[in-house]
């Protein structure tokens, strides 16, 4: 393992970092094009504080399907998307120009589009300094510790940018109502454990994690305390059996990334140890929409799906 | 380093002479070693999230017994099988290639098996485990064959060249896997498949490893031929051994073992490299004499690493591949530094 070859990504990053570092030093000052356009700008909240961006930009590209989801839900348009198998409701973007992967920009494609605004999130955050060279770039990552709050902030920011504030407020009010209703059910449901299966292995997620919405917002009591870690904690089936949750919330990562090769989450969990849990024996296993929870999370429609996943699961 | 050049068979290496004189002479140490490994296996049975105590088992607690049958037993068995078979595969490879820095992970075998798995995942994801292992084996065999063909076409004067060629070849094959995984957004999945992790091992999910176990026994039975084949084609043929056939047998064993372990658990780095070398330090190059020790040390090493992985962050787990990678690289370094002064 020590003599691992360099991953193509890191080579590419180094190759990119060199010239951009030169450009940075050459420019010296922060005079980006955004500030030049004076009156046509608007200040919005981002994950990195308030930022001034162009108002109603003509071409927006994003590396986040959640952002795409929100813009699409609000009635806006996106000119460039990451290469990814889009969920059905975003299938209109299946043929949209591709500007890279979820993680990495394809700078030539970006230059081709010459966007007015670029939106990155956690997965693509590393590319932000390079993208800023091309166009105003904002970070609309969601905050795992305050998922709903950050989603609302991002929805409002995007609405302001594309000029759809009213639609956003309506949607957020609906979402809020759903959340309240589900929280009432959630806080009486008993204990829950969130697990993600990937390539036959299981990780557990707790409050404050990327799937923490279940506990933090929707009020389901965690069956065990789990340190919040983005990639969850790899656990054995014994851990699941020992946690003995009343409800098991399952994200099938293989499905989320369009990788249906291995065992489905159901097959992975269908074993003698998980069978010991209250959740399994009472048939209280909630399959969460992997696309919404793992990929599009943070988006307006995806968040509504996430809430209704839990609501429907608890109701069944 | 000099020990990598084959020593004439009748004259035992200094290490062997030391061994005969010293502590490792008789069968008693083997029994001692076996009991240490048995103790480790027992310990491994009682480490985990759920509460299984020897007392509960003696009481006849049905819950505890079921847990042992479903989870602990299979896991310990899988660890022992993987540890034994991979270490023996490493030993065979080192003897056949006549280079002590070679093992399935430094000769492209594991990388080829992984590539096979990636291909299966892309084109025939629904295949049952045994078929996946089959495809991975074919790839592993082909990859190892290419490696040997490369070696035979190269003027190899320095023993360091052999693993270098292997590492480069493995790098090329691995790059192919990475590229495919990258193209299809599977980089994280590739990492998950390839890092050995026994946390998901339960009854019904590890049985394929028995194939590797059986192969290890086969290797044991024909151990002498490997020793002779390890002397080179001419000497071996002169001694009446069909060099090609023994070589093929060895390759098949190595490829199948690597493929089966990669398919069921993932890549366990360094194991096949470190264990035979540690044993050789004490016992020299005699395969039949070393095999039981290689098996014991391999099993013990994997058991210790897995117990560590289960306890360090209890109740969460650190994948075995990571623990072995860390511990193994340290052992390997020590080996390199000490070994050169000792053997050389």
């Amino acid at each position: 393992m020590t003599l691992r070859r360099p991953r193509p990504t890191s080579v590419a990053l180094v190759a990119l970092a060199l010239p951009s570092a030169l450009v940075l030093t050459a420019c010296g000052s922060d005079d980006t094009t955004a500030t030049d356009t004076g009156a046509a700008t608007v200040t919005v909240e981002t994950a990195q504080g308030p930022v001034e961006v162009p108002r109603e930009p003509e071409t927006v590209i994003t590396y986040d399907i959640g952002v795409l989801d929100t813009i699409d839900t609000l009635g806006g348009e996106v000119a460039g998307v990451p290469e990814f198998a889009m969920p059905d409701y975003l299938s209109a973007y299946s043929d949209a120009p591709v500007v890279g992967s979820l993680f990495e920009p394809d700078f030539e494609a970006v230059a081709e589009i010459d966007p007015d605004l670029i939106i990155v999130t956690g997965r693509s955050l590393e590319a932000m300094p390079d993208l800023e060279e091309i166009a105003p770039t904002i970070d609309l990552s969601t905050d795992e510790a305050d998922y709903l709050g950050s989603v609302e902030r991002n929805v409002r920011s995007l609405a302001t940018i594309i000029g759809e504030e009213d639609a956003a407020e309506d949607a957020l009010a609906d979402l809020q109502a759903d959340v309240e209703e589900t929280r009432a059910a959630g806080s009486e449901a008993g204990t829950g454990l969130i697990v993600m299966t990937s390539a036959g292995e299981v990780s557990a997620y707790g409050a404050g994690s990327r799937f923490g919405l279940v506990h933090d917002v929707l009020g389901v009591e965690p069956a065990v305390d789990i340190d919040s870690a983005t990639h969850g904690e790899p656990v054995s089936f014994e851990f699941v059996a020992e946690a003995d949750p009343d409800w098991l919330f399952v994200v099938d990562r293989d499905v989320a990334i369009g990788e249906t090769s291995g065992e489905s989450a159901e097959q992975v969990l269908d074993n003698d140890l998980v069978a010991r849990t209250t959740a399994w024996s009472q048939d209280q296993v909630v399959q969460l929409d992997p696309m919404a929870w793992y990929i599009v999370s943070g988006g307006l429609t995806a968040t509504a799906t996430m809430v209704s996943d839990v609501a429907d699961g608890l109701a069944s | 380093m000099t020990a990598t050049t084959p020593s004439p068979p009748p004259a035992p290496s200094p290490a062997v002479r030391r061994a005969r004189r010293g502590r490792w002479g008789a069968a008693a140490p083997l029994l001692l070693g076996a009991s240490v490994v048995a103790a480790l296996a027992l310990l491994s049975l009682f480490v985990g999230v759920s509460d299984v105590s020897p007392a509960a088992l003696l009481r006849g607690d049905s819950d505890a017994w079921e847990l042992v049958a479903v989870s602990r037993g299979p896991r310990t068995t899988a660890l022992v099988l993987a540890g034994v078979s991979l270490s023996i595969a490493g030993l065979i490879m080192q003897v056949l290639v006549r280079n002590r820095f070679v093992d399935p992970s430094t000769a492209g075998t594991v990388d080829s098996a992984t590539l096979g798995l990636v291909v299966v995942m892309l084109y025939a994801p629904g295949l049952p485990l045994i078929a996946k292992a089959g495809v991975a084996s074919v790839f592993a065999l082909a990859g190892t064959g290419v490696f040997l063909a490369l070696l035979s076409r190269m003027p190899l004067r320095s023993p360091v060249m052999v693993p270098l060629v292997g590492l480069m070849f493995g790098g090329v094959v691995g790059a192919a896997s990475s590229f495919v995984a990258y193209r299809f957004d599977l980089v994280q999945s590739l990492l998950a498949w390839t890092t050995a992790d026994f946390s998901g091992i339960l009854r019904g999910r590890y049985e394929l490893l028995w194939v590797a176990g059986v192969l290890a026994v086969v290797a044991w039975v024909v151990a002498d031929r490997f020793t002779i084949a390890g002397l080179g084609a001419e000497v071996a043929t002169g001694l009446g051994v069909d060099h090609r056939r023994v070589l093929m047998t060895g390759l098949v064993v190595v490829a199948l073992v690597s493929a089966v372990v990669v398919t069921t658990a993932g890549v366990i780095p360094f194991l096949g490299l470190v264990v035979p070398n540690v044993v050789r330090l004490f016992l020299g190059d005699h395969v039949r004499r070393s095999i039981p020790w290689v098996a014991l040390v391999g099993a013990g090493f994997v058991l210790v690493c897995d117990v560590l992985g289960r306890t360090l962050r209890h109740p969460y787990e650190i994948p075995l591949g990571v623990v072995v990678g860390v511990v193994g690289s340290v052992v390997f370094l020590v080996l390199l530094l000490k070994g050169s002064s000792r053997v050389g």
Side-chain angles (χ1 to χ4, degrees), chain B residues 301-328:
Chain B
F301 183 57
V302 170
L303 283 169
V304 168
C305 286
D306 189 64
V307 167
L308 277 179
R310 274 188 271 179
T311 41
L312 286 179
R313 295 204 57 218
H314 186 85
Y316 315 120
E317 300 220 357
I318 304 172
L320 178 75
V322 175
V323 182
V324 174
V326 171
V327 180

Side-chain angles (χ1 to χ4, degrees), chain A residues 1-5 7-9 83-84 101-104 198-202 225-227 231 233-239 241-242 253-254 257 259-263 267-273 276 294, chain B residues 48-51 63 66-67 70-72 75 111 121 125-126 132 167 170-171 174-175 178 182-183 185-189 192-193 195 197 199-203 205 265 267 269-270 313 315-317 319 329:
Chain A
M1 285 304 249
T2 40
L3 288 154
R4 219 73 191 146
R5 55 264 157 198
R7 283 172 48 219
T9 38
E83 179 166 34
F84 200 82
S101 71
L102 288 175
F103 299 87
E104 245 185 297
S198 175
E201 283 154 20
V202 179
D225 273 337
I226 298 169
D227 309 338
H231 287 281
E233 295 287 355
V235 294
S236 57
F237 294 109
E238 280 183 26
F239 180 93
E242 213 47 34
R253 177 175 179 275
D254 295 335
I257 58 169
E259 154 66 58
T260 46
S261 55
E263 295 173 291
Q267 288 169 300
V268 173
L269 293 173
D270 186 7
N271 61 57
D272 299 329
L273 287 179
R276 294 178 166 201
Y294 187 71
Chain B
V49 178
S50 305
D51 211 14
D63 254 21
E66 201 200 324
L67 206 74
V70 170
S71 163
R72 300 288 170 81
R75 182 163 187 166
D111 291 283
M121 293 300 182
K132 282 181 185 161
L167 283 170
S178 297
Y182 180 72
R183 287 292 305 162
D185 267 322
L186 294 176
V187 175
Q188 284 175 334
S189 308
W193 299 329
T195 310
D197 186 347
S199 64
I201 296 280
L202 288 179
R203 184 169 63 195
R205 285 176 202 232
V267 179
F270 286 118
R313 295 204 57 218
Y316 315 120
E317 300 220 357
S329 54

Side-chain angles (χ1 to χ4, degrees), chain B residues 1 64 76 128 144 170 194 219 225 238 257 260 271 304 331:
Chain B
M1 294 295 241
T76 302
T144 319
T194 48
R225 288 168 201 219
V257 165
V260 162
L271 191 62
V304 168
V331 175

